[in-house]
Amino acid sequence: MDNNQKQAASGKAAADSRKRKEAPSSAVTGFKNLHQQGRESRPPARPQKRVKFQDARNIRSQPPDAALDGEGKLDLQKFLNAREFEIKALETSMQKCKTANATRVFQQVPREMRRRTASHNAKRVPKRLRDRAKREMLEDNTPTVEARKRRPRTTRARIRAENAKRLEKLAAKKKKRALEGENKDKPGKTTIHTRAPRPKIRRDTLNEPPKSKSKFNKRQVNKTWLPTHLWHAKRATMTEPTKPLWRFAIPMTPTQKSYRPTHRASGQKGTIFWDTSYMSTARIYGTARCIELVLKALGLTQASIWGNRGRKWRAGTRTWSGMVSRQQGNSRRDVGPATILWNPSPTDETAATESNTTEEKKTQRQVLIRTHPSCFLELFDELVKLAKLQTPQVHVEDLRFEVGSIELTGPGSTETLLAVLQPYHTEERHGQVFSSLIGVTNPASLPKDAVLGFSVKDPRLSYPPKRVDTTSKVSDPALLDTLTQWPVEEQVKPYGLFDRHVRFKASNLPPQKSINRRKGANIPGQEIQVTAADPPIPVIVFASRPAAGGQAQGTWTLMAPWKCILPIWYSIVHYPLSTGGNPRLGGLNEQRQIAFEQGTAWFPGDFLGTNAGVVWEMEQRTQRKKAWDRRPKGKRIEWASLDLGAGRKGEIGDGLACDFEHLFGLPKVPSPSSSSGDRSTLDVDPNAMDVDPREEAEAASKLGKPHKNTLPSLATVEQMKKTEFNALVSSADLASRPPPRSIISVNIRFVTRGVANACARIYRLPSRPSATTTVPSSEAEVPATDPVAAGVGSLPADLRDQWLQKLPSQRNGSKSFKTKTHAAPHMPRDVDHGTRKQLMAKSLLSGDPLPYPRPSAANQTDIGGGAHPLCPGEEDLIGFVTAGAYSLGEGKGTAVGAISAEKAFDTLKESGGIKEGRLCIVRNAGESVGWLARWELV
Amino acid sequence: MVRLKDRYLLVNIVYTDLPPGQKGSVPDLLLYNQPTIGELRPQTILKGIRSQVNALFGDCGSGSVERSLQVKYLSTATSTFILRISRAHYRLVWAALTFMDRLPVKDGRPCIFRVVRVSGTIRKVEEEAIRRAKLLVLAAKDEMAGKASSSDALNALFRGGKDSARNLALVNDDHDDAEINEGEISDG
């Protein structure tokens, strides 16, 4: 080979340079790795590859003599042989071409499959491709490194390696000794079986996180892993190791691109699921009356739920979901969303008949509260405080690491759950009802807040999960009957999940090894029979509807003992959906995305009126500030030099924050988010300091919440409920107004174009100037685009009308408006040179020259093909966007935000109409152009 | 990037006369499918085609064919070869092959160059070659069993396509350069 000759010529120089692809000369055979040596002595890859391809494409053929007999005559047998040879040659050629293609094996595995280091490690590709991968790696001279055999580079690694070596020796010695000992006293060997320790659950105090395996101890010092952590860590971006979220390592988003697939899986086809074991659960137990008092103190004061309509909820066959709140001085402050579920009492049938009797009130009952971890500590403290006030006392148990949960949404979610959860006892009513749900494609089609509590078999017994036959059951009248009747009330028993003994029993599932052994003993494909060793797993499943209502998909929530989550998880992951594919993994971002697409607020990000929301917002501010700081100076937004038109300079408030402090004139904490270029926002209105900070805020800070010592002034902002606000607006009482520092959550849809980002500013439509303040008419005629007029520092008087022109229904009006504006005169096309000259001269001589320099800011003439109205002034700022993007569901920009309740109230009252009052202008932070939008309460 | 688009032509060389050294009668099957002499090299085929294209289409034609014409496979024992030519010009080559009436070697024997398959991939051409070879094998076995007639030999040669009527129709309206049809042409 010419290659070898070249090598010989280059001689020792090549060996000295030690290029990886050059073969080592005999002098450099210090390597012990024979495999490596063998690989390196092969010729370089590229010429070899070319030879390979040439060889593969070459089709063998025979000389003509093969078809003739010995004397050169035609012969039938030879003729036959020649044809057979040709057939064989062509077939081998086709085969060779197929195998010698230019792609490597790891490029052929499906998109969903992980391929980390698959190009360097044959074990990363599927088994059937492994041999080919090995061969290709050998042919391509791919460097392979076995982590085990790599020479340690850092000091730390070296120490670890030495340690490992020593430990290995020690272990070997120990093993040897154990073997000797075993041989000595084999007959008299006794083993002591101890009962597995039951986890401690103390009353009225927080629960300890579960003890992790010692191997993983160090990684869970300041956080807890979800039961599925090891699975997730390989497939999703987790929270940063040093910055856990709510003391959990939570998957943020799958590693694979998933924005559009998530949208599809959540609404059209498939299913998306989350391990929501981080959601916190608490159990309250005591007499029914005392529990009722505690719940009422949490803000469950609606008469309906304690009356006849809430009977099913109190019986334990429905859940209640909503915001819980706590008393703070004279007002109530929202804590966060919670789901509350009663445990059915064993004697429920008698109690149901004589409801509201003293008998019922005295019975011992239990309630499960499931809430978000960001507000759990706050809620738990409140619960303990309330529980201690009751006589007889009510007790609270923290079930955070006892009960885990999985959430599923999407058309395939019911099907998936049906395949995975197989009722343990066939006679259980709830189990029967659940099994009859085949054909349901939307959990929201179940009765509102329906609950099913039953026990299921270990899903590993029927692993891999079989596809549920949904075709025969669709439009089944029996299913419709079930959905309308919902026959779960009769013979309802207490849910096993409330019982710690049942939970503990279920936590001791047989090990995977024994399952495998049992499976091996079976005929392939046969399910493993349930034995006494397989405990029933108590589960509670409930369906929830999205807050937005309508056609949107509901969500299944499956609650099970913490330790049973993993086996259930594996079965869900591998369920083959009837519409194809498997359920999709979701992270926290996907949860927020789905909430956003459904137009609902997501906790805690969109709830600035709660402490958890404030903490989230502060965290976001620091993150944005960090990202902003990282950018080079020329490429980041200089907030101070933002030109809003009409002589206004600088961003309103902090551009990196939903700056409600600025809106409400609250004292600004020197947080890291306050940008240096934003001087105007920092020197707050001096009067703002006089506004006495709420005593509740002080009280809250005194209480010393363990997760946040001092809450920023933003925490004095209150969240107002939709119902309260609507009642205020519709009431004729002029005196009643929303409290001064309250916000309401809104869902914003852009009227024509525009996409909002987080922190975008929301303005109301500017009011028409009253008669006394009307600007002189001469100025009023000056169009908005004229910077000379705008530069004097006043907004045009007809700004409201300009914005209203932008409504698509009033297109006709906008045309007449456009004609007044000074668009740059365009040279008509296809004119000859003479005319061009004439036109040019005319434009120069006319008394209406183009402004120079061209207006750069705010409303450039080319936005939207005509003049764009200026942004309203700061007095019209009403709120901020907390989440915004282009919505795939709506096909246009939407956003979720919060606006000042007071200003919204005023706007609705003043403009007189809901139509105009709900119009707003949304402008992204750092941009000068706003877009018309419409807000709706959420 | 622009993809180079090619056509692959499967060509059979059909003889109608006996080879010089042969005496007596031979079965029709052997007569038509004789081996070709070893002097026929890929280069000589190319040369022959080029000169024929030049004669038929002039310098322009031979120039356009020149660059992309290539012999991918030549089996003299079975008198079969596969040509590759750019998609735009395969008709020139086909026409040239039709007009060639003897082997392009010194004192070449009279023969017919029959294009039996045109395809966009060499794979399909190979499959067709295999199919035809199999048909010939079956015919030869029949011949050996002694239950063959001359029409059978012609059948194996010309009715290689499953339904020749359809193929003929395809050939007829092939002139609009519809790419889709080209893959199905056989028995041209």
Side-chain angles (χ1 to χ4, degrees):
Chain A
M1 279 213 169
D2 62 337
N3 205 28
N4 287 343
Q5 288 163 8
K6 210 201 298 177
Q7 214 148 43
S10 61
K12 196 143 171 59
D16 284 344
S17 69
R18 280 201 201 172
K19 277 186 182 165
R20 186 171 54 74
K21 288 198 173 170
E22 232 101 35
S25 71
S26 57
V28 206
T29 41
F31 298 101
K32 275 142 208 141
N33 197 336
L34 270 175
H35 172 65
Q36 198 178 16
Q37 206 184 1
R39 207 179 60 222
E40 296 217 357
S41 60
R42 281 197 324 272
R46 203 166 282 268
Q48 193 198 15
K49 216 173 199 176
R50 199 187 307 135
V51 168
K52 190 178 83 175
F53 285 137
Q54 279 169 356
D55 180 46
R57 281 172 195 161
N58 188 23
I59 310 170
R60 290 173 62 211
S61 60
Q62 280 176 316
D65 312 339
L68 299 169
D69 64 358
E71 295 143 22
K73 287 182 184 156
L74 295 173
D75 181 36
L76 209 53
Q77 187 57 46
K78 292 277 179 180
F79 172 85
L80 210 64
N81 291 349
R83 301 290 149 178
E84 269 163 5
F85 179 88
E86 184 181 41
I87 292 171
K88 214 168 274 169
L90 288 169
E91 270 171 353
T92 47
S93 148
M94 272 152 65
Q95 195 61 37
K96 267 196 294 184
C97 271
K98 202 177 178 188
T99 48
N101 55 3
T103 54
R104 294 267 308 256
V105 170
F106 62 89
Q107 290 170 312
Q108 294 181 343
V109 291
R111 206 169 106 89
E112 291 85 26
M113 268 187 71
R114 294 184 69 225
R115 56 196 69 194
R116 201 179 113 83
T117 69
S119 54
H120 294 273
N121 190 349
K123 284 179 189 159
R124 299 278 183 192
V125 293
K127 249 183 199 157
R128 66 193 160 79
L129 299 173
R130 210 161 278 175
D131 285 339
R132 247 175 87 194
K134 263 185 209 156
R135 208 180 55 227
E136 277 173 4
M137 275 166 64
L138 218 67
E139 280 167 4
D140 287 2
N141 215 359
T142 313
T144 49
V145 178
E146 243 182 296
R148 210 152 43 82
K149 288 179 183 167
R150 187 189 271 162
R151 199 161 57 84
R153 304 261 174 210
T154 60
T155 318
R156 196 172 159 222
R158 206 179 53 243
I159 292 170
R160 275 188 70 167
E162 281 170 8
N163 242 347
K165 215 174 266 175
R166 248 182 271 144
L167 281 173
E168 205 177 317
K169 269 184 207 162
L170 204 70
K173 219 186 267 175
K174 208 173 160 189
K175 206 174 179 186
K176 203 174 152 197
R177 210 178 298 147
L179 259 175
E180 283 167 5
E182 204 175 78
N183 291 338
K184 240 180 255 171
D185 48 21
K186 195 139 204 185
K189 195 182 160 200
T190 53
T191 47
I192 301 167
H193 289 287
T194 53
R195 183 177 57 84
R198 235 173 20 187
K200 273 212 170 71
I201 306 172
R202 287 166 296 176
R203 294 193 307 201
D204 301 335
T205 44
L206 290 173
N207 201 357
E208 295 272 310
K211 211 158 177 278
S212 50
K213 268 187 195 167
S214 58
K215 189 173 160 191
F216 302 130
N217 256 346
K218 265 191 192 168
R219 305 188 217 168
Q220 298 184 61
V221 173
N222 54 1
K223 59 176 175 282
T224 312
W225 281 359
L226 299 181
T228 55
H229 178 87
L230 289 179
W231 189 90
H232 269 115
K234 296 170 189 165
R235 293 163 180 87
T237 316
M238 310 295 285
T239 49
E240 273 180 56
T242 50
K243 274 192 233 148
L245 205 53
W246 313 311
R247 291 190 70 85
F248 280 102
I250 293 177
M252 298 307 285
T253 185
T255 327
Q256 208 196 342
K257 274 189 185 181
S258 63
Y259 192 82
R260 201 174 275 267
T262 300
H263 165 73
R264 287 206 192 101
S266 69
Q268 294 155 14
K269 186 186 144 188
T271 177
I272 181 162
F273 66 121
W274 298 268
D275 180 3
T276 49
S277 297
Y278 54 83
M279 291 295 269
S280 313
T281 324
R283 186 175 73 116
I284 315 172
Y285 56 100
T287 59
R289 202 185 61 84
C290 292
I291 291 178
E292 187 181 327
L293 288 176
V294 170
L295 292 182
K296 275 179 176 167
L298 282 180
L300 277 75
T301 48
Q302 301 96 308
S304 60
I305 59 173
W306 299 107
N308 208 29
R309 280 176 68 192
R311 200 167 44 80
K312 282 182 181 168
W313 172 58
R314 275 172 287 134
T317 54
R318 296 285 190 280
T319 57
W320 177 91
S321 301
M323 288 296 269
V324 290
S325 55
R326 63 189 165 84
Q327 196 68 28
Q328 198 180 57
N330 297 326
S331 64
R332 297 195 64 82
R333 182 164 176 76
D334 282 348
V335 173
T339 302
I340 297 175
L341 171 68
W342 290 81
N343 193 13
S345 51
T347 55
D348 206 44
E349 279 147 70
T350 55
T353 52
E354 38 174 342
S355 62
N356 282 333
T357 56
T358 49
E359 180 74 24
E360 194 204 3
K361 299 240 165 186
K362 267 186 195 161
T363 49
Q364 289 287 318
R365 294 295 301 271
Q366 299 173 344
V367 162
L368 212 61
I369 299 189
R370 182 172 183 266
T371 188
H372 199 267
S374 60
C375 64
F376 177 71
L377 289 180
E378 200 182 344
L379 181 68
F380 193 77
D381 286 348
E382 186 66 18
L383 272 178
V384 171
K385 207 173 74 188
L386 290 170
K388 281 184 178 155
L389 291 176
Q390 314 299 330
T391 46
Q393 207 189 331
V394 172
H395 290 292
V396 188
E397 258 179 11
D398 169 18
L399 297 185
R400 268 186 306 172
F401 307 110
E402 277 280 296
V403 176
S405 57
I406 294 173
E407 278 179 22
L408 297 99
T409 187
S413 54
T414 316
E415 184 194 335
T416 311
L417 273 186
L418 278 169
V420 173
L421 304 182
Q422 294 174 351
Y424 193 90
H425 309 290
T426 45
E427 70 274 12
E428 252 180 340
R429 184 84 194 139
H430 282 199
Q432 286 168 359
V433 171
F434 178 74
S435 304
S436 70
L437 290 180
I438 297 176
V440 172
T441 51
N442 185 355
S445 58
L446 263 61
K448 196 167 177 289
D449 300 325
V451 185
L452 294 169
F454 52 100
S455 42
V456 297
K457 288 182 210 164
D458 185 351
R460 291 176 300 169
L461 298 182
S462 51
Y463 181 89
K466 314 280 176 306
R467 178 173 291 164
V468 177
D469 180 29
T470 53
T471 46
S472 59
K473 282 285 191 150
V474 180
S475 73
D476 187 7
L479 175 66
L480 279 177
D481 262 5
T482 314
L483 290 181
T484 46
Q485 309 286 326
W486 202 243
V488 292
E489 267 82 28
E490 60 249 37
Q491 36 169 317
V492 60
K493 277 183 249 155
Y495 299 143
L497 198 67
F498 283 75
D499 190 342
R500 82 183 264 222
H501 299 287
V502 178
R503 280 200 310 264
F504 172 67
K505 251 175 132 184
S507 299
N508 292 328
L509 293 174
Q512 184 66 49
K513 255 189 186 172
S514 82
I515 301 266
N516 290 349
R517 210 178 304 124
R518 280 158 70 186
K519 200 176 218 171
N522 263 359
I523 304 165
Q526 196 182 29
E527 273 190 24
I528 308 172
Q529 292 302 309
V530 181
T531 62
D534 303 308
I537 301 175
V539 295
I540 291 177
V541 248
F542 59 90
S544 41
R545 291 178 183 179
Q551 296 286 311
Q553 278 281 333
T555 307
W556 276 111
T557 308
L558 160 72
M559 292 167 79
W562 181 269
K563 290 208 172 142
C564 302
I565 291 292
L566 191 59
I568 297 176
W569 181 264
Y570 277 128
S571 281
I572 292 180
V573 168
H574 294 126
Y575 173 67
L577 286 165
S578 62
T579 48
N582 295 101
R584 288 195 65 84
L585 158 71
L588 207 63
N589 291 359
E590 278 66 37
Q591 218 160 29
R592 186 163 201 187
Q593 181 196 338
I594 287 171
F596 167 75
E597 279 175 4
Q598 292 179 344
T600 55
W602 175 76
F603 189 84
D606 299 329
F607 285 85
L608 283 174
T610 61
N611 287 357
V614 169
V615 173
W616 176 270
E617 165 68 12
M618 289 299 157
E619 179 57 35
Q620 292 298 305
R621 282 183 195 179
T622 39
Q623 273 180 24
R624 283 182 210 126
K625 168 76 176 149
K626 245 188 200 164
W628 187 83
D629 277 337
R630 264 208 309 273
R631 295 182 75 83
K633 226 173 173 193
K635 286 186 179 171
R636 63 190 182 194
I637 300 168
E638 280 306 324
W639 305 108
S641 56
L642 177 70
D643 187 3
L644 289 174
R648 294 168 299 174
K649 275 259 175 186
E651 181 57 83
I652 303 169
D654 186 352
L656 299 170
C658 297
D659 205 350
F660 278 102
E661 288 99 324
H662 185 83
L663 183 63
F664 291 127
L666 298 170
K668 182 122 184 166
V669 282
S671 68
S673 62
S674 59
S675 58
S676 55
D678 194 19
R679 285 262 66 94
S680 60
T681 59
L682 276 180
D683 41 15
V684 196
D685 181 23
N687 295 335
M689 302 304 280
D690 297 346
V691 181
D692 48 345
R694 294 233 161 162
E695 53 194 50
E696 302 93 60
E698 282 174 36
S701 63
K702 263 181 213 159
L703 266 173
K705 297 276 169 288
H707 53 300
K708 44 195 176 284
N709 293 326
T710 49
L711 279 171
S713 58
L714 186 59
T716 57
V717 171
E718 285 172 13
Q719 184 91 30
M720 203 173 176
K721 281 199 181 71
K722 179 184 178 183
T723 47
E724 289 171 18
F725 185 81
N726 280 342
L728 268 184
V729 171
S730 55
S731 78
D733 186 10
L734 288 174
S736 60
R737 287 176 59 76
R741 273 181 235 154
S742 52
I743 52 171
I744 44 171
S745 290
V746 288
N747 176 23
I748 293 166
R749 291 183 59 180
F750 283 92
V751 172
T752 49
R753 43 177 291 203
V755 171
N757 299 330
C759 301
R761 275 70 179 131
I762 306 171
Y763 298 90
R764 62 186 171 195
L765 286 183
S767 51
R768 290 192 181 86
S770 53
T772 49
T773 56
T774 315
V775 269
S777 59
S778 63
E779 205 171 326
E781 272 175 23
V782 173
T785 43
D786 199 336
V788 187
V792 299
S794 63
L795 286 166
D798 61 341
L799 192 58
R800 186 190 179 89
D801 296 322
Q802 285 183 23
W803 275 110
L804 286 176
Q805 302 269 10
K806 287 274 154 189
L807 275 177
S809 55
Q810 298 172 355
R811 264 282 146 78
N812 309 339
S814 75
K815 253 182 198 161
S816 62
F817 169 71
K818 259 185 217 166
T819 51
K820 281 203 291 180
T821 61
H822 291 230
H826 283 290
M827 186 71 73
R829 270 186 198 172
D830 310 328
V831 286
D832 56 35
H833 191 65
T835 329
R836 255 169 207 278
K837 262 187 180 171
Q838 270 185 357
L839 280 174
M840 182 111 160
K842 207 190 258 175
S843 74
L844 285 175
L845 290 174
S846 70
D848 192 18
L850 279 177
Y852 184 83
R854 279 177 64 86
S856 59
N859 45 356
Q860 287 174 347
T861 45
D862 51 357
I863 299 167
H868 198 75
L870 286 172
C871 249
E874 205 183 320
E875 67 282 355
D876 288 319
L877 182 73
I878 52 171
F880 299 91
V881 165
T882 46
Y886 180 84
S887 167
L888 293 175
E890 296 282 339
K892 57 161 78 173
T894 61
V896 175
I899 57 174
S900 155
E902 211 178 4
K903 288 196 172 174
F905 179 80
D906 287 345
T907 319
L908 286 181
K909 284 280 180 190
E910 275 168 25
S911 64
I914 296 290
K915 237 184 169 182
E916 275 189 27
R918 299 234 148 137
L919 280 175
C920 59
I921 296 147
V922 180
R923 176 180 64 83
N924 276 331
E927 291 175 11
S928 49
V929 180
W931 293 102
L932 203 60
R934 205 171 256 130
W935 58 262
E936 291 288 333
L937 288 178
V938 225
Chain B
M1 238 184 58
V2 182
R3 189 179 168 141
L4 296 174
K5 293 183 174 100
D6 292 328
R7 284 285 170 269
Y8 295 89
L9 272 62
L10 177 64
V11 188
N12 275 349
I13 307 172
V14 183
Y15 296 91
T16 47
D17 63 337
L18 281 174
Q22 189 83 24
K23 281 173 222 106
S25 70
V26 288
D28 285 351
L29 190 70
L30 290 187
L31 181 71
Y32 300 140
N33 301 296
Q34 287 170 36
T36 310
I37 48 165
E39 278 95 86
L40 189 75
R41 318 289 313 166
Q43 290 86 345
T44 51
I45 293 181
L46 291 183
K47 220 162 142 192
I49 292 173
R50 273 185 210 133
S51 65
Q52 189 65 44
V53 167
N54 197 23
L56 289 173
F57 302 102
D59 286 346
C60 174
S62 67
S64 53
V65 160
E66 181 86 21
R67 201 178 50 82
S68 62
L69 190 63
Q70 200 187 351
V71 177
K72 299 299 283 187
Y73 169 65
L74 170 63
S75 162
T76 44
T78 54
S79 301
T80 309
F81 61 95
I82 297 174
L83 286 175
R84 193 198 69 183
I85 175 77
S86 72
R87 192 180 67 175
H89 307 113
Y90 79 97
R91 278 156 205 281
L92 307 189
V93 175
W94 192 343
L97 284 168
T98 312
F99 278 95
M100 280 161 72
D101 54 357
R102 46 185 69 243
L103 283 178
V105 288
K106 203 179 173 198
D107 301 330
R109 287 174 60 196
C111 65
I112 303 168
F113 290 92
R114 233 179 120 238
V115 177
V116 286
R117 172 88 185 187
V118 181
S119 167
T121 58
I122 194 166
R123 190 187 170 78
K124 285 285 166 190
V125 164
E126 283 170 341
E127 278 171 5
E128 173 69 13
I130 289 172
R131 196 180 68 82
R132 290 185 153 272
K134 278 179 180 164
L135 278 179
L136 284 178
V137 166
L138 285 179
K141 276 181 181 161
D142 279 353
E143 187 77 49
M144 281 165 107
K147 50 178 176 177
S149 61
S150 69
S151 67
D152 277 355
L154 279 173
N155 265 343
L157 189 61
F158 291 112
R159 300 278 157 81
K162 271 165 244 161
D163 43 356
S164 44
R166 187 177 65 95
N167 290 327
L168 280 173
L170 278 176
V171 170
N172 285 340
D173 59 25
D174 186 44
H175 296 287
D176 53 41
D177 201 9
E179 222 184 294
I180 319 147
N181 291 343
E182 282 160 15
E184 301 188 8
I185 298 161
S186 62
D187 268 343

